[in-house]
């Protein structure tokens, strides 16, 4: 019998992978780490990992332990090519889709839909509130993701300091969570969680330990449900000073944090 193994569930953007703007390289150019492009969008490189992180992630993937866990849609996730073999499982749309060998599990998606229909305000109501209270002076784009949640792309310089909090105060009693990540403001129904989808993967794989990493409020439930976890020194959770007894708050920022997270996860997997 194959012994149980840990499951490594990690957020992607600004946790494992980084855009050029988010790399946050603080060393002199001549000492900067070599980078590997892991995403191309409209024929241009978009997201990177350090070569060191790439080797660590490839080893994790080779062990079958890595489960990418992202708020990205399936289409957006499909642009990412992490080092190593393709993961057997991945979580997209903040838990709305559980991919098994790259294909969404219809039974899981139906289960999610039932929870959303029962427990929170409609997407249409929340989207209308977001767009209706946004100022065209700083609203750049508005999108609906997988018919599950909504987000705005904003000009952070023009975004009023109070707008996100006011939206969150309105959305909370209606069963929605609001998260500000870089230039994006997300509104996500509270039953739509990464942790629920990862728990299902753990059940199917027989994993006896869940490790997790993430940087935003939409990762908090995943981190709290894990046996151990890491958050980088940047991002929404770091800005809030968020932590928990079993979570390591790393000092590293940017791509260096992604490398440290991959190393810590691999070390934890090896201590068995």
């Amino acid at each position: 019998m194959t012994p149980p193994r840990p499951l490594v569930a990690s957020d992607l953007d600004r946790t494992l992978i980084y855009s050029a703007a988010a790399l946050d390289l603080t060393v002199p150019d001549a000492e900067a780490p070599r980078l590997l492009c892991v995403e191309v969008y409209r024929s241009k490189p978009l997201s990177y990992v350090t070569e060191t992180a790439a080797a660590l992630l490839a080893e994790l993937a080779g062990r079958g332990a890595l489960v990418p866990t992202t708020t990205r849609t399936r289409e957006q996730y499909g642009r990412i090519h992490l080092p190593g073999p393709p993961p057997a499982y991945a979580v997209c749309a903040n838990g709305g889709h559980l991919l098994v060998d790259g294909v969404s599990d219809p039974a899981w998606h139906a289960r999610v839909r039932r929870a959303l229909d029962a427990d929170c305000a409609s997407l249409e109501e929340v989207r209308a509130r977001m767009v209706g209270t946004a100022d065209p002076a700083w609203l750049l784009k508005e999108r609906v993701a997988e018919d599950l949640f909504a987000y705005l792309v904003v000009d952070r310089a023009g975004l009023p300091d109070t707008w996100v909090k006011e939206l969150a105060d309105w959305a909370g009693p209606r069963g929605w969570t609001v998260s500000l990540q870089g230039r994006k403001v997300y509104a996500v129904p509270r039953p739509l969680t990464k942790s629920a989808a990862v728990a299902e993967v753990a059940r199917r794989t027989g994993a006896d330990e869940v490790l997790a990493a993430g940087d935003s409020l939409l990762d908090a439930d995943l981190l709290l449900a894990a046996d151990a976890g890491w958050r980088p020194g940047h991002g929404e959770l770091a800005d809030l000073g968020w932590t928990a007894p079993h979570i390591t708050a790393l000092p590293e920022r940017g791509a260096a944090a992604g490398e440290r997270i991959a190393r810590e996860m691999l070390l934890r997997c090896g201590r068995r």
Side-chain angles (χ1 to χ4, degrees):
M1 177 181 292
T2 302
R5 62 190 179 194
L7 185 155
V8 178
S10 181
D11 177 48
L12 293 176
D13 294 279
R14 293 171 58 87
T15 298
L16 289 184
I17 70 174
Y18 292 83
S19 67
L23 285 170
D24 198 11
L25 300 176
T26 57
V27 298
D29 290 350
E31 299 173 19
R34 286 165 58 94
L35 300 173
L36 174 70
C37 178
V38 294
E39 180 185 16
V40 173
Y41 181 53
R42 295 181 176 175
S43 301
K44 296 180 180 179
L46 184 60
S47 298
Y48 305 85
V49 297
T50 68
E51 284 194 347
T52 299
L56 297 167
L57 292 172
E59 187 170 350
L60 274 173
R63 296 185 182 196
L66 182 60
V67 180
T69 307
T70 181
T71 305
R72 284 180 175 234
T73 65
R74 288 171 290 170
E75 179 182 2
Q76 292 166 341
Y77 170 71
R79 300 195 303 255
I80 298 172
H81 300 283
L82 294 174
Y89 293 94
V91 174
C92 292
N94 214 65
H97 287 280
L98 175 56
L99 305 190
V100 183
D101 294 326
V103 179
S104 180
D105 183 322
W108 175 259
H109 185 62
R111 174 177 162 181
V112 170
R113 286 286 184 190
R114 288 193 296 271
L116 300 189
D117 290 343
D119 293 339
C120 48
S122 70
L123 172 61
E124 292 75 16
E125 180 183 357
V126 175
R127 179 188 182 189
R129 177 75 179 198
M130 293 178 75
V131 176
T133 58
D135 188 332
W138 48 259
L139 175 60
L140 304 179
K141 299 176 185 176
E142 63 98 5
R143 295 286 186 269
V144 169
E146 301 269 20
D147 200 29
L148 290 168
F149 61 90
Y151 67 92
L152 308 181
V153 181
V154 302
D155 175 4
R156 283 292 296 268
L159 181 68
D161 293 338
T162 59
W163 188 85
V164 173
K165 183 181 184 305
E166 290 169 356
L167 178 64
D169 289 345
W170 176 88
R174 292 165 174 80
W176 286 66
T177 298
V178 174
S179 172
L180 175 61
Q181 303 177 36
R183 298 191 308 141
K184 293 181 179 179
V185 181
Y186 291 89
V188 176
R190 200 169 290 133
L192 188 66
T193 65
K194 294 180 178 182
S195 59
V198 168
E200 176 65 11
V201 177
R203 184 190 69 80
R204 296 186 189 190
T205 61
D208 64 343
E209 183 179 47
V210 174
L211 311 178
D215 71 299
S216 81
L217 275 176
L218 298 180
D219 298 311
D221 69 283
L222 174 65
L223 291 167
L224 288 173
D227 295 290
W230 298 265
R231 70 151 174 84
H234 62 258
E236 196 174 24
L237 294 180
D239 291 344
L240 293 170
W242 184 95
T243 189
H246 63 295
I247 302 301
T248 301
L250 299 174
E252 290 89 351
R253 300 171 56 88
E259 187 175 304
R260 173 78 182 273
I261 287 168
R263 179 177 291 107
E264 294 289 335
M265 287 179 158
L266 190 57
L267 285 171
R268 178 78 178 224
C269 289
R271 289 202 302 264
R272 300 171 63 84

